[in-house]
Amino acid sequence: MSVKFLKRSGIDPGEGVRAGLMFSYIFLVIASLLIVKPVRTSLFLTEFGAEQLPYAFMLVALVSAVVARFYFKLASRFSLNRLISIWLLSSAVSLAVIWLLLHRGYQEGWFVYLFYIWVAVFGAISASQFWLLANYVFNSREAKRIFGFLGAGAIAGGIFGGYLTNLLVPFTGTNNLILICSGFILIIYSIFRIIWRKYARRNLQKSLSSRRRKSRGISTRDPVKLVLSSKHTTYMAGVIGIGVFVASLVDYQFSAIASEIVTDEDQLTAFFGYWYSNISVAALFVQFLLTRHILRRLGVGASLYFLPAGVLLGSALVLFAPSLGTVIIVKFFEGGFKQSINKAGLELLALPLPGEIKNRAKTFIDTFVPSIAEGSGGALLLLCTIILGISVQHISIVVLASLALWYVLLRRVNKEYVNSFRLAIEKRSVDLEELTLNVNDASVQQIFERVLEGANPKQIMYVLQLLEQVKSETISPYLEKLVTHPSDKVKAQVLKLAVEVSDLDFTEQARDYVPSNDADLRIAAIYYLCRKSSDPINKLMGFLKDEAIQVQAAAGIAAAHLFNDDAEIRKTFNVAQLWEETKRYQESMELSEVEDEFMRINRAEMFGIVQTDEFNPYLLELLEDESTKVLCAAIHAAGKNKAPEFVPVLIKRLGTKVVRSYARIALAEYGDEVIDELVKRIEDRFEEIEVRHSSIKVLAMIGSQQAAKNLFDCIDREETELRYAVLKAVNKIKDNLPTLKLNSRKINAQLKQEIEIHQDLLQILNLHRAEKEDFSDDSPSSSKQLEYHSAGGLLEKTIEERLARNMERIFRFLGLKYPQKDVYNAYLGVVSRDPVRHANAIEFLDNLLDFNLKQAIIPLLEPGTRRIFPHRLLLHDCHEHRVDDYLSYLVNGSDNWLAACSLFFIASSRDVKFYPLAEKQLTSPLLIVRETAEYAVKRLKSTE
Amino acid sequence: MLTTIEKVIILQGVDVFEDVPTEGLAHIASIAEVFDYPENTDIFKEYGRADSMYLVLEGSVVLRQGEKEVMVAKEKEAFGTWALFDDEPRIVTATTREPVKLLRIDEEDFLDLLADDVRITRGVLKSLVKRVRGLMALAARKQG
């Protein structure tokens, strides 16, 4: 029974505890809310009457907007764990304090207002925290199945809370309910701790990095501009806003009429508790009985008309026959449709928007727009009731007028929805991972039909992939039409989908497709036939021992998928034994070299799909294969498998040029687990340079805080190229992870070092240029002069290049300290040849940088600067020795190429005073330095 | 025997390398080999396989299309450059006019270098883009 219930609720075996804990969490959050909500409303109405409700609405809107903004900021600084813990504990304490004050008879006006606002903020933040947590507890596939169950938990919590209030008030009185609520929140906290420890923590990092990758480029965009940038999101915001606006008017009418009739505070609390629960029951009823049906028959567009139509009917009744009965009817329509059919319709409206735009725009719309709308509702009520003296009954006229605007907005948003959907399918931009598609939606169906009957196989494939998420009988008509489609890819996708549809039988077609030339179709056909067979293992063995190796190979992949997808098969299916048997059979066949390679690739692919430790020894063998193609497939499989024993081999493969990029991707799949191993390689001077550089790239691909921290610890290495690669990698991580935290003292130290190098190089360049000019003044035009100038030119160009790279490094470090995008734009301005852009960039940096940095960096950026930095290395006041000074500095420095260019310049000068300097480098371990020193010594000797 | 830096000085004059950093040129210099050819020798023939570029260190080389003389490559001038970038056959025959010393860069070694050093690749691409832009501007001027 319970298994059946779980299955019907979309919960797979093994997910019960997790889903149960999350269900309890939201159940108690909404129950608590539905306990304190009637308490605060009755307290407010008894204290101030309905006339002051508009002020409360406006204050709630204002405070919610401020709190939401503040909360967003906190959310970017603190971990979700800390945020939820602090919020729940402080809420429980706040409620206890409120109870204590009310218990002691403290009912000052400001305090009642504060309580009213507190309840609104508590509701908004607690629910939002829950859904955020749910995103870490469940992956996207689980979420699609389980979120409906959690939604039901919220509605059930609403019903429970309301009825409990109604039931308990006669015994406890209104105020004591607050203490019960505080107790509920402490239970929620305990549940949260278990959820966090057992499920959420481990998923958080992974989920964050994947979101970071997806959010690149959009996350920094102003959300208001983002919403206004498309008609679709603008009208969506409008529809949500007008809904909240009208709800505030209806709520006012409901509260005002109720408080006129029910005057006792406890009775009023019980009244609200009772009716809020009834409304929740109505919402549940509509949700389960009507929502799916309406969406299927009429589509998203029509589903959104139910709420305004209900409000229209109810408001007309209130207008012509104002009474408690009619106002309850309008509240019933408003509350019942809002939480069910309208909510589902609004969620689906955002579906065709590209993934991250959808997240950002919708988060903004869901948090800010209701506040603004509720505030506007409060302001209008204030105008109507206090200033214009309109009665509660005639507020219905304002409601009816607002419905006209609501209707216009709905027409427009529906048009945009269909347009966006069409565009998303054409561009194939609907995010499959985030899809919560309702294939039953009539308007979606129309678009699908048009695409599936069209001639574009790519679009058909895309729609079929969308439908893969649905796996319902409703897709059968599409599949029947497409199973004989000319495209093999389409046929393969159809067979994949048809496996889950019980009323279809494509056995005959699948049998015909087994010998197909297309590998995907072969695999899909074998998989289909095995899944639909009463004896899948026997069926599979038949294909595994087929004469054609293509069929054997496809059967291997199909076997791997069968093992993964079907729990029943997994129980009875000894995959290792099957593999051994197949291997023996294949070895008995006389395969050509090409066929053998093909089968080895196939095995690697298969091991990548099954991901069981039993295959690890075989996969290790393939990771040493001599064929590049097999190696690539094996590396890919190892990355999917993520077994620790593959790590050393994969790292070794970073040194193999042709498979290096595959090895990087595979290692990055391991995430934080491989960081220590990679750092060891980076730090090992005797490791191949390519392995070291690739290890840096893998850490950048992992992109986590830990990867960045470990990378940054390698930044003070002497090897310039490695240091640059590390810096670049940390920048890349920061780009995707703006909240990245690094040791700021270390950044400052590195910046100081780079600035000093730049100052030195800039002085050397100026001295070198002056030296070159002096030489051309003194000497006649000769081959000696030409030689001197070309060697001097090479040295000058090399110093300029070093300055440019050093400047890039300075900006890269600045990017770790300040907003990276701003710093990058400033860098582009600084290196630009356009003097206006250059000046603007300097001005920008002047405003951005700290005082000390500004003092150090801006002088380096001034055009044609010939500034001397007296605290730096050279003996500037000793003009006679300046050439000796800077050439000696360069030749003895750690930059080998610069040393070689300086030695070449020395050779061209034919000045014997440099002989000792050149001679010293004859023993240099570096070929380029030694070779040029030999050349210089020879030239200087010949001058002697 | 030329040192690496001497080769770099020469490579600086080749237009496709003008945006390659000097250190990158040193890497290119390390794969550039010096060859001596006697007078009246064909270095490569029209329609032959293009697998390397050349730089004249000493002497001069005549480039002919059929019987027609297209150009004479003198000291520090490069020829056969496009062989580094595509596999099209040679469009000219290169013949020495006198005993010459040439610097030769092999296509395969060059491509390996490009694959290993992104800064060389970027420099070469920059030069090529400059050339394409120049040609586009020229075409636009002609059309205008």
Side-chain angles (χ1 to χ4, degrees):
Chain A
M1 167 71 183
S2 61
V3 174
K4 263 191 178 173
F5 168 75
L6 289 175
K7 217 168 182 182
R8 277 185 73 86
S9 307
I11 300 163
D12 279 356
E15 292 169 351
V17 179
R18 205 163 18 135
L21 284 167
M22 288 300 281
F23 182 95
S24 315
Y25 187 131
I26 191 67
F27 177 90
L28 287 172
V29 164
I30 304 298
S32 309
L33 188 65
L34 264 286
I35 292 171
V36 284
K37 219 172 152 188
V39 174
R40 68 125 197 218
T41 312
S42 67
L43 193 68
F44 188 91
L45 291 173
T46 323
E47 201 63 29
F48 302 112
E51 312 80 64
Q52 289 212 23
L53 267 181
Y55 293 110
F57 289 165
M58 284 165 66
L59 270 172
V60 164
L62 191 72
V63 174
S64 299
V66 173
V67 169
R69 218 173 169 84
F70 179 66
Y71 180 77
F72 274 135
K73 277 199 173 171
L74 280 184
S76 63
R77 285 188 189 178
F78 295 107
S79 73
L80 188 64
N81 174 28
R82 271 179 80 181
L83 217 57
I84 296 182
S85 299
I86 292 171
W87 176 253
L88 289 176
L89 290 175
S90 61
S91 297
V93 172
S94 307
L95 278 176
V97 172
I98 291 168
W99 170 79
L100 193 71
L101 290 171
L102 288 172
H103 192 66
R104 296 199 167 173
Y106 189 82
Q107 288 202 2
E108 288 292 320
W110 69 269
F111 176 67
V112 176
Y113 260 101
L114 185 76
F115 180 46
Y116 193 97
I117 293 162
W118 186 92
V119 171
V121 173
F122 169 75
I125 291 189
S126 302
S128 129
Q129 280 180 341
F130 169 80
W131 291 111
L132 195 59
L133 179 70
N135 275 301
Y136 297 119
V137 174
F138 303 104
N139 64 35
S140 57
R141 277 172 174 270
E142 291 166 342
K144 277 171 218 163
R145 287 185 281 107
I146 296 170
F147 276 19
F149 174 68
L150 299 183
I155 296 177
I159 296 168
F160 173 78
Y163 284 143
L164 189 74
T165 306
N166 181 257
L167 205 73
L168 290 182
V169 161
F171 307 105
T172 60
T174 295
N175 296 348
N176 289 333
L177 287 174
I178 295 173
L179 202 59
I180 295 175
C181 198
S182 175
F184 274 11
I185 296 174
L186 288 176
I187 300 173
I188 299 171
Y189 174 73
S190 316
I191 295 172
F192 164 70
R193 294 306 313 157
I194 301 170
I195 294 169
W196 180 261
R197 268 202 311 272
K198 282 185 125 180
Y199 310 110
R201 190 166 47 187
R202 66 175 178 208
N203 293 337
L204 185 67
Q205 191 64 48
K206 204 175 164 187
S207 177
L208 278 177
S209 64
S210 121
R211 271 151 211 241
R212 280 194 300 268
R213 277 197 293 276
K214 286 182 185 174
S215 68
R216 255 185 110 172
I218 294 169
S219 57
T220 49
R221 210 164 146 192
D222 180 358
V224 181
K225 280 186 191 161
L226 194 68
V227 171
L228 295 177
S229 67
S230 109
K231 280 185 185 172
H232 186 152
T233 45
T234 309
Y235 291 137
M236 244 176 75
V239 167
I240 289 173
I242 193 83
V244 176
F245 176 81
V246 169
S248 68
L249 304 184
V250 170
D251 206 35
Y252 169 78
Q253 286 182 303
F254 179 63
S255 303
I257 293 177
S259 65
E260 256 177 43
I261 294 165
V262 186
T263 47
D264 176 71
E265 187 184 323
D266 286 349
Q267 278 182 4
L268 197 57
T269 307
F271 171 86
F272 283 128
Y274 178 71
W275 283 108
Y276 284 153
S277 287
N278 289 344
I279 290 166
S280 295
V281 172
L284 196 65
F285 178 79
V286 175
Q287 177 75 10
F288 280 114
L289 295 183
L290 297 177
T291 302
R292 275 173 74 96
H293 204 62
I294 289 167
L295 284 169
R296 181 184 298 187
R297 298 268 167 206
L298 305 171
V300 167
S303 72
L304 293 172
Y305 284 101
F306 277 76
L307 175 58
V311 175
L312 174 73
L313 185 70
S315 289
L317 282 173
V318 174
L319 185 64
F320 296 113
S323 69
L324 191 60
T326 50
V327 88
I328 286 174
I329 291 173
V330 69
K331 187 69 188 164
F332 240 89
F333 277 129
E334 193 269 326
F337 284 140
K338 191 170 78 179
Q339 291 306 325
S340 53
I341 189 164
N342 200 62
K343 193 168 190 318
L346 286 175
E347 291 296 327
L348 291 170
L349 259 190
L351 182 72
L353 294 171
E356 180 59 16
I357 291 181
K358 178 168 64 192
N359 286 346
R360 292 264 302 160
K362 200 162 176 308
T363 309
F364 177 78
I365 291 171
D366 287 346
T367 49
F368 283 92
V369 172
S371 301
I372 297 163
E374 197 172 358
S376 313
L380 190 78
L381 279 170
L382 202 68
L383 178 79
C384 294
T385 54
I386 313 279
I387 301 170
L388 300 177
I390 295 175
S391 68
V392 174
Q393 175 196 358
H394 290 108
I395 292 293
S396 291
I397 297 173
V398 184
V399 173
L400 293 173
S402 308
L403 288 174
L405 177 63
W406 198 338
Y407 174 74
V408 173
L409 285 168
L410 278 177
R411 280 191 65 99
R412 299 212 168 160
V413 83
N414 283 334
K415 198 176 149 202
E416 289 307 319
Y417 169 72
V418 176
N419 278 344
S420 298
F421 214 103
R422 193 175 297 132
L423 205 68
I425 287 178
E426 276 166 20
K427 287 183 175 175
R428 300 195 288 283
S429 65
V430 177
D431 191 338
L432 295 179
E433 276 297 298
E434 293 181 8
L435 191 70
T436 46
L437 181 66
N438 188 347
V439 75
N440 298 326
D441 177 359
S443 46
V444 174
Q445 278 190 352
Q446 274 179 8
I447 297 167
F448 279 1
E449 268 167 30
R450 215 172 303 148
V451 174
L452 292 175
E453 280 163 12
N456 187 337
K458 278 187 181 168
Q459 282 189 7
I460 295 174
M461 276 299 288
Y462 182 65
V463 168
L464 287 175
Q465 280 164 8
L466 291 177
L467 290 170
E468 196 178 351
Q469 314 290 317
V470 182
K471 290 179 181 166
S472 125
E473 267 69 21
T474 50
I475 61 175
S476 302
Y478 302 129
L479 302 184
E480 272 180 321
K481 277 183 204 164
L482 291 168
V483 74
T484 51
H485 193 274
S487 158
D488 287 343
K489 299 284 175 215
V490 171
K491 283 187 285 215
Q493 187 64 23
V494 167
L495 288 179
K496 257 195 224 173
L497 288 170
V499 169
E500 302 291 339
V501 183
S502 54
D503 65 347
L504 288 176
D505 183 11
F506 292 153
T507 314
E508 215 170 293
Q509 290 92 332
R511 223 175 276 144
D512 292 344
Y513 297 152
V514 170
S516 156
N517 286 329
D518 184 90
D520 288 341
L521 184 55
R522 282 198 302 269
I523 296 165
I526 294 171
Y527 180 84
Y528 181 88
L529 291 169
C530 294
R531 282 290 296 271
K532 292 286 179 180
S533 162
S534 53
D535 185 2
I537 310 279
N538 232 344
K539 193 97 195 160
L540 186 65
M541 280 317 291
F543 290 120
L544 284 168
K545 292 185 176 177
D546 195 280
E547 280 175 11
I549 62 155
Q550 282 80 4
V551 175
Q552 284 178 31
I557 303 289
H561 284 300
L562 276 171
F563 182 79
N564 272 359
D565 298 347
D566 196 317
E568 284 302 313
I569 290 182
R570 214 164 25 237
K571 271 186 216 158
T572 52
F573 190 32
N574 185 336
V575 74
Q577 195 187 333
L578 184 89
W579 155 244
E580 279 296 340
E581 209 175 309
T582 317
K583 198 178 160 209
R584 268 198 303 277
Y585 176 76
Q586 282 169 4
E587 278 164 2
S588 72
M589 294 173 77
E590 281 180 17
L591 298 177
S592 70
E593 210 171 294
V594 178
E595 285 172 334
D596 193 48
E597 185 189 54
F598 173 76
M599 289 313 281
R600 295 202 307 277
I601 293 170
N602 180 254
R603 266 171 237 159
E605 284 171 3
M606 187 179 145
F607 299 155
I609 298 164
V610 177
Q611 296 170 23
T612 165
D613 293 346
E614 289 167 275
F615 289 144
N616 291 0
Y618 302 117
L619 192 50
L620 270 173
E621 214 174 278
L622 292 176
L623 282 168
E624 300 293 345
D625 203 282
E626 58 199 17
S627 151
T628 307
K629 287 179 189 167
V630 177
L631 260 185
C632 291
I635 289 171
H636 180 74
K640 294 273 163 224
N641 190 299
K642 287 188 250 180
E645 59 253 56
F646 299 139
V647 174
V649 193
L650 289 174
I651 291 181
K652 189 180 89 183
R653 287 297 173 199
L654 292 174
T656 315
K657 199 171 183 175
V658 281
V659 296
R660 187 175 294 147
S661 56
Y662 292 86
R664 281 189 210 137
I665 296 168
L667 280 165
E669 294 273 354
Y670 280 77
D672 287 357
E673 280 172 45
V674 283
I675 291 177
D676 290 344
E677 203 54 45
L678 292 169
V679 170
K680 261 189 231 160
R681 306 305 166 114
I682 296 168
E683 287 178 339
D684 183 359
R685 277 179 164 273
F686 300 103
E687 183 58 86
E688 274 181 74
I689 192 71
E690 276 312 328
V691 172
R692 298 175 79 190
H693 275 272
S694 281
S695 298
I696 294 170
K697 286 185 181 164
V698 175
L699 287 173
M701 287 161 84
I702 293 171
S704 64
Q705 167 75 42
Q706 202 189 332
K709 191 191 159 294
N710 281 275
L711 259 178
F712 201 55
D713 286 343
C714 305
I715 200 89
D716 33 20
R717 300 204 65 80
E718 279 174 19
E719 299 127 300
T720 325
E721 283 305 309
L722 206 79
R723 194 162 167 259
Y724 176 72
V726 166
L727 179 58
K728 229 169 116 178
V730 179
N731 280 135
K732 200 173 168 188
I733 297 177
K734 172 92 194 278
D735 197 24
N736 294 327
L737 183 63
T739 52
L740 179 71
K741 283 190 179 67
L742 294 166
N743 183 343
S744 60
R745 213 175 273 178
K746 197 164 182 175
I747 299 175
N748 287 339
Q750 293 292 325
L751 262 170
K752 186 169 177 271
Q753 191 185 330
E754 293 296 345
I755 290 166
E756 286 175 359
I757 293 172
H758 199 91
Q759 289 171 340
D760 292 348
L761 283 172
L762 208 53
Q763 285 181 73
I764 288 169
L765 182 67
N766 291 334
L767 292 170
H768 179 65
R769 279 177 181 157
E771 179 63 29
K772 264 176 69 194
E773 278 165 23
D774 287 355
F775 187 84
S776 29
D777 291 345
D778 297 346
S779 313
S781 178
S782 64
S783 68
K784 186 188 162 195
Q785 191 193 30
L786 287 174
E787 199 186 310
Y788 183 83
H789 270 273
S790 69
L794 178 68
L795 180 58
E796 186 177 340
K797 196 171 177 219
T798 305
I799 299 171
E800 283 169 350
E801 284 168 6
R802 290 302 191 250
L803 275 167
R805 286 206 79 186
N806 172 267
M807 188 52 75
E808 186 191 331
R809 284 200 300 271
I810 290 176
F811 274 84
R812 283 188 178 278
F813 279 115
L814 288 176
L816 300 179
K817 206 172 154 67
Y818 299 100
Q820 195 150 267
K821 208 177 161 195
D822 290 346
V823 171
Y824 181 63
N825 286 334
Y827 173 70
L828 291 180
V830 163
V831 296
S832 162
R833 287 185 188 159
D834 177 355
V836 179
R837 269 187 84 186
H838 186 92
N840 288 344
I842 293 179
E843 180 58 29
F844 173 74
L845 288 169
D846 201 19
N847 290 301
L848 178 77
L849 304 181
D850 301 341
F851 180 77
N852 287 340
L853 275 176
K854 207 184 319 189
Q855 294 288 307
I857 293 174
I858 295 202
L860 307 178
L861 306 175
E862 303 291 357
T865 185
R866 287 202 167 229
R867 224 180 122 157
I868 295 296
F869 304 95
H871 61 289
R872 296 304 304 151
L873 74 156
L874 301 170
L875 303 168
H876 312 290
D877 47 351
C878 186
H879 186 80
E880 293 304 311
H881 297 112
R882 62 188 191 182
V883 188
D884 311 33
D885 288 335
Y886 82 77
L887 286 176
S888 155
Y889 173 77
L890 293 176
V891 170
N892 294 319
S894 61
D895 187 329
N896 308 322
W897 176 240
L898 209 45
C901 291
S902 306
L903 284 166
F904 193 67
F905 180 63
I906 285 171
S908 72
S909 74
R910 315 233 177 135
D911 190 339
V912 288
K913 70 179 175 190
F914 291 119
Y915 190 88
L917 192 60
E919 195 185 26
K920 208 177 137 193
Q921 297 302 323
L922 288 174
T923 53
S924 168
L926 293 145
L927 179 66
I928 185 80
V929 178
R930 199 168 61 239
E931 183 195 72
T932 322
E934 281 165 8
Y935 173 82
V937 165
K938 212 166 127 191
R939 295 297 292 267
L940 296 175
K941 255 187 187 167
S942 72
T943 314
E944 263 181 328
Chain B
M1 182 69 182
L2 291 174
T3 63
T4 306
I5 297 205
E6 282 175 302
K7 289 180 192 172
V8 167
I9 298 277
I10 296 161
L11 289 171
Q12 274 187 308
V14 180
D15 53 1
V16 284
F17 299 146
E18 65 178 349
D19 289 301
V20 175
T22 54
E23 197 171 5
L25 291 179
H27 293 138
I28 299 176
S30 68
I31 58 161
E33 287 177 273
V34 179
F35 287 89
D36 289 307
Y37 290 87
E39 191 181 347
N40 284 328
T41 311
D42 287 342
I43 299 163
F44 54 76
K45 287 187 175 171
E46 194 176 352
Y47 307 117
R49 193 177 156 235
D51 57 2
S52 43
M53 74 157 281
Y54 298 86
L55 264 156
V56 183
L57 300 176
E58 281 168 25
S60 58
V61 176
V62 184
L63 305 178
R64 286 196 190 85
Q65 211 162 35
E67 292 305 309
K68 192 183 160 197
E69 191 175 302
V70 182
M71 86 175 247
V72 177
K74 292 177 194 148
E75 225 169 275
K76 291 187 180 171
E77 285 181 346
F79 61 93
T81 315
W82 292 106
L84 297 183
F85 305 102
D86 71 8
D87 296 326
E88 291 296 303
R90 299 281 189 194
I91 53 166
V92 289
T93 299
T95 314
T96 57
R97 237 179 10 187
E98 57 203 295
V100 294
K101 201 182 266 294
L102 298 175
L103 199 60
R104 192 176 89 174
I105 298 171
D106 185 71
E107 180 201 9
E108 219 167 283
D109 295 338
F110 181 70
L111 292 178
D112 276 348
L113 203 59
L114 289 190
D116 286 342
D117 193 331
V118 72
R119 274 170 292 171
I120 299 179
T121 317
R122 197 186 289 168
V124 170
L125 285 175
K126 221 170 159 183
S127 310
L128 292 175
V129 169
K130 255 188 212 170
R131 242 186 217 208
V132 172
R133 283 208 173 128
L135 287 171
M136 281 165 72
L138 195 71
R141 269 203 302 277
K142 274 188 180 169
Q143 273 181 351

